[in-house]
């Protein structure tokens, strides 16, 4: 029993250590995204002591897009996504087991000690996933903030009225900003859920297995069939 307890304790520590590393990476991504969104604002750039430049030249837009791409790829990517996907699949499996146990006998579900352990694990994993989902969602909002480009376009239109002799040059920059806005909209990957990387396999497992199990549990508790 002592060896079994030590093994489970070590495995639990290793698993939660990997989750803490993934959360730290998500915090770093959010910090980079937050500072990146302040580059084009003189007041915020001065406050956080970071470089500042306006998107009034094609060269500046190119640097801005390159910097955005570099910061999004900075840090571990695949390893963190593997950890998050593993946590999601584990939470999915525990939820399926709990649903199966409830369908087997919901009156005696809480009598078994291992079911309490499943519930504790499920609660811990869900809290971790909600934390990552919050950080990932805020990070995506910072990188996909189109209002920065729209503000620069308005500034360019105002400059065109003040400086008609530079209208052709400013029109070129404005066209590049419009293309950049379309590019940012197209770059958003369809397999992200609140900032968490999702793939079609996980999505299909969630839709088919878990929703079916939840539907069965609700139908068993309420006494009539419900299709989710």
């Amino acid at each position: 029993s002592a060896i079994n307890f030590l093994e489970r304790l070590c495995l639990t520590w290793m698993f939660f250590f990997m989750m803490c590393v993934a959360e730290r990476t998500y915090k770093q991504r959010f910090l980079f995204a937050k500072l990146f969104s302040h580059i084009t604002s003189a007041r915020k750039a001065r406050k956080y002591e970071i470089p500042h430049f306006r998107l009034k030249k094609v060269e500046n837009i190119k640097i801005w897009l390159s910097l955005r791409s570099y910061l999004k790829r900075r840090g571990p990517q695949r390893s963190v996504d593997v950890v998050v996907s593993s946590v999601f699949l584990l939470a999915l499996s525990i939820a399926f087991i709990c649903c199966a146990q409830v369908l087997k006998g919901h009156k005696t579900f809480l009598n078994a000690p291992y079911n309490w352990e499943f519930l504790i694990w499920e609660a811990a994993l869900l809290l971790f996933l909600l934390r990552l989902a919050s950080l990932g969602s805020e990070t995506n909002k910072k990188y996909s903030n189109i209002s920065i480009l729209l503000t620069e376009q308005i500034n360019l239109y105002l400059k065109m009225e003040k400086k008609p002799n530079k209208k052709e040059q400013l029109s070129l920059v404005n066209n590049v900003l419009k293309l950049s806005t379309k590019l940012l909209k197209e770059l958003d990957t369809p397999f992200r859920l609140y900032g968490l990387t999702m793939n079609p396999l996980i999505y299909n497992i969630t839709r088919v297995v878990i929703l079916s199990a939840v539907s069965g549990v609700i139908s068993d508790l309420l006494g009539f069939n419900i299709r989710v």
Side-chain angles (χ1 to χ4, degrees), residues 71-85:
L71 291 178
K72 291 196 71 173
R73 294 197 308 267
R74 183 179 173 84
Q77 298 290 332
R78 290 187 178 181
S79 57
V80 174
D81 291 339
V82 168
V83 171
V84 176
S85 299

Side-chain angles (χ1 to χ4, degrees), residues 135-146:
L135 288 172
S137 178
E138 293 297 325
T139 302
N140 283 349
K141 287 180 182 179
K142 296 293 183 182
Y143 280 126
S144 303
N145 191 4
I146 309 298

Side-chain angles (χ1 to χ4, degrees), residues 15-228:
F15 194 79
F16 278 93
F17 174 76
M18 290 190 296
M19 291 196 298
C20 290
V21 172
E23 184 180 2
R24 182 183 177 185
T25 303
Y26 269 70
K27 287 182 179 179
Q28 289 180 347
R29 292 178 184 178
F30 175 69
L31 177 61
F32 292 151
K34 180 181 178 181
L35 295 178
F36 174 76
S37 64
H38 296 337
I39 287 180
T40 55
S41 174
R43 179 179 59 84
K44 293 181 179 179
R46 193 182 308 111
K47 177 181 178 181
Y48 291 95
E49 299 180 353
I50 57 177
H52 163 68
F53 60 88
R54 301 294 298 276
L55 304 180
K56 58 183 180 180
K57 296 181 180 180
V58 177
E59 292 79 7
N60 292 356
I61 300 174
K62 182 180 178 181
I63 294 174
W64 187 81
L65 291 174
S66 301
L67 181 61
R68 179 184 182 275
S69 177
Y70 171 75
L71 291 178
K72 291 196 71 173
R73 294 197 308 267
R74 183 179 173 84
Q77 298 290 332
R78 290 187 178 181
S79 57
V80 174
D81 291 339
V82 168
V83 171
V84 176
S85 299
S86 301
V87 172
F88 185 83
L89 289 175
L90 181 60
L92 211 62
S93 303
I94 294 176
F96 177 74
I97 293 173
C98 290
C99 290
Q101 293 290 334
V102 171
L103 289 176
K104 185 177 180 181
H106 61 273
K107 294 183 179 179
T108 60
F109 174 73
L110 297 178
N111 294 336
Y114 57 85
N115 286 335
W116 282 99
E117 186 176 356
F118 281 145
L119 292 177
I120 293 173
W121 267 93
E122 185 71 12
L125 295 178
L126 287 179
L127 288 175
F128 172 75
L129 289 175
L130 288 175
R131 174 62 176 165
L132 289 191
S134 176
L135 288 172
S137 178
E138 293 297 325
T139 302
N140 283 349
K141 287 180 182 179
K142 296 293 183 182
Y143 280 126
S144 303
N145 191 4
I146 309 298
S147 61
I148 296 176
L149 301 180
L150 296 177
T151 303
E152 295 295 337
Q153 291 182 30
I154 294 174
N155 293 333
L156 286 176
Y157 282 121
L158 296 176
K159 283 186 178 181
M160 288 180 188
E161 295 182 357
K162 293 181 179 179
K163 299 178 180 180
N165 55 331
K166 294 185 178 181
K167 186 174 182 180
E168 183 177 354
Q169 180 182 358
L170 295 175
S171 298
L172 176 62
V173 178
N174 185 44
N175 292 333
V176 175
L177 284 175
K178 290 181 180 179
L179 292 175
S180 300
T181 304
K182 293 181 180 180
L183 177 64
L184 294 184
K185 292 180 179 179
E186 292 293 332
L187 286 178
D188 291 335
T189 173
F191 300 121
R192 280 192 177 272
L193 179 62
Y194 293 105
L196 301 179
T197 302
M198 306 291 289
N199 56 56
L201 177 61
I202 295 179
Y203 171 76
N204 289 328
I205 292 175
T206 305
R207 184 180 62 179
V208 176
V209 179
I210 295 301
L211 291 182
S212 300
V214 172
S215 175
V217 170
I218 295 176
S219 301
D220 183 68
L221 293 177
L222 298 180
F224 53 89
N225 294 328
I226 294 179
R227 292 184 179 182
V228 180

